[in-house]
Amino acid sequence: MIKLKKILGAFGLSVLFFLTGCADKGTLGQSTAEENNSDIGTLASAVSEADTEIELLPITEVMETFDVETEKIKSGIFDNINFEGTYFSFTEANEVYTLEYEKTKFKCSPDEAYDYFCKMTDQLLPGMYSDEEKAQEIRFVDCDPINDEKFPYGYPTFEQYKQMGLATDQPYPIIVNQNCFIEMSNEILRGYDRGDLKRRGGYNLDALTDPATSYGYKDDGRIDMFDVLIAYPIVYRTANLESEKTFHLVTGDISIAEAVKSANKYFSELELSPREVCKTVVQSVNVIDIGNGCYAFCFAVVPEYKQVKFARPEMDKNTNGITSISDTTNETQLVGSAVMYKKDDICRCRLGNLLFYYDIMETDSQSSVIPLGKAAECVSNYMTAGIKFNVKSVTATYKEISAKDHSQYPDYESFDNRKITIKPCWRFVLKPTTGDTSKLYYAYVDMISGKIYTLVQLMESEVEYD
């Protein structure tokens, strides 16, 4: 059983739905809609259901015929969606699961947390701190501050934490300063940064300090507040993890495919926790210009469960949030990030909304799924009439789904204990070519029932998503 942690992302939701309706189990559904003249748009929709039964195919057969099927889809004719240039990816797993989260409370002693945090500090920030320096720099933020000093020095050291009776059974040690940061919660790595890119300089300080561009994150010198996507311009982004497109890093040229392979290898070997947790893998890639003819990769990273990735919206102009216009899944979890500016070296990572505070419970398993071609037809029938799309990527994912929107829970306790179901889905990422082209549409087709869930994201960066 995997112990996982939930972290809530904070961002504003404009509840204006572009897409509506979904197919019942065993049928394909469709909807029609028109955008109004507003800059965001809304729906006037009428949902009808087709009487077509969905035939599930064995995953092994889907796997064997996947390349042939994708070529058929690329050359196929749909009224509103174009698959030319789409990146397709499937799983090597023989089964997919319906999952649920069961909330658990992990307990850890202060000594266990401190020892493990010291170990990871030495590993991820090698040579930065002696044992004596760690004793002063490591602070515990799961209790109240003990003085008015600047964060994090208002919080207790390890000795103060124990001697003053402030220790909890969920220790949260951190190091946060102008040189680096590392943080762990419940003996699980949340993120770290050696400070390399900030010390390199040449970044956009005005963007980091301007609330209009930094989304409220003010750069006060702390490395944890430094956001590479705000500081450095994005010049290219792609979901194609096999791309041979090459960029010059500080240590030389490397292709996206090579960099992704290196990053996935790094995360497969990185010990996130002394206990078992989901592995981390790359979902997509942003390329940033760090000056002097050099670039860096900012990977969007996600959890993976038994060879299937969890679905996350793409990063846009910062690594800490997105602008979501509508979300019929009611569970928009943020993507994690990892940065490589030297070949085979991850200098910074923040693991986003990993699921560390939950047990994952398998409630069902399936060895057969809706074939890709039928899922593509389902999406074409479902999408808003009058808008045409290029499909950027199609992948097999797990998608978290809740029955109600966050705002519909009466208090935090009921929200925190809400039922979250995770379903295997075909994930279609679509970019409109008509109407408002600044949006990114996500359509999740339940691989078993054919039901469709959607998310619409406002993309504020001008860089094309390839």
Side-chain angles (χ1 to χ4, degrees), residues 360-410:
I360 288 184
M361 312 296 294
E362 295 176 1
T363 59
D364 193 16
S365 64
Q366 293 283 344
S367 58
S368 296
V369 298
I370 293 173
L372 177 58
K374 185 60 69 176
E377 291 178 20
C378 189
V379 171
S380 178
N381 291 335
Y382 184 88
M383 299 304 290
T384 303
I387 302 178
K388 294 188 177 182
F389 301 88
N390 284 333
V391 182
K392 297 301 182 180
S393 63
V394 181
T395 54
T397 63
Y398 282 122
K399 182 68 185 81
E400 293 123 326
I401 298 164
S402 292
K404 296 189 294 185
D405 181 76
H406 293 184
S407 63
Q408 294 177 304
Y409 293 91

Side-chain angles (χ1 to χ4, degrees), residues 237-268:
R237 55 161 51 104
T238 185
N240 184 356
L241 305 184
E242 300 164 26
S243 171
E244 293 301 324
K245 193 173 181 66
T246 298
F247 291 88
H248 182 73
L249 306 190
V250 169
T251 52
D253 294 347
I254 183 172
S255 70
I256 289 175
E258 291 176 303
V260 169
K261 184 178 180 180
S262 173
N264 281 337
K265 180 177 184 294
Y266 173 81
F267 281 114
S268 71

Side-chain angles (χ1 to χ4, degrees), residues 143-157:
C143 61
D144 292 331
I146 60 173
N147 59 52
D148 295 329
E149 289 188 46
K150 189 174 181 179
F151 183 85
Y153 299 107
Y155 288 87
T157 64

Side-chain angles (χ1 to χ4, degrees), residues 176-195:
V176 175
N177 54 46
Q178 296 182 351
N179 298 313
C180 63
F181 91 84
I182 180 171
E183 59 177 321
M184 303 189 70
S185 178
N186 290 11
E187 282 194 320
I188 300 175
L189 178 69
R190 291 277 301 275
Y192 72 92
D193 190 339
R194 299 195 305 259

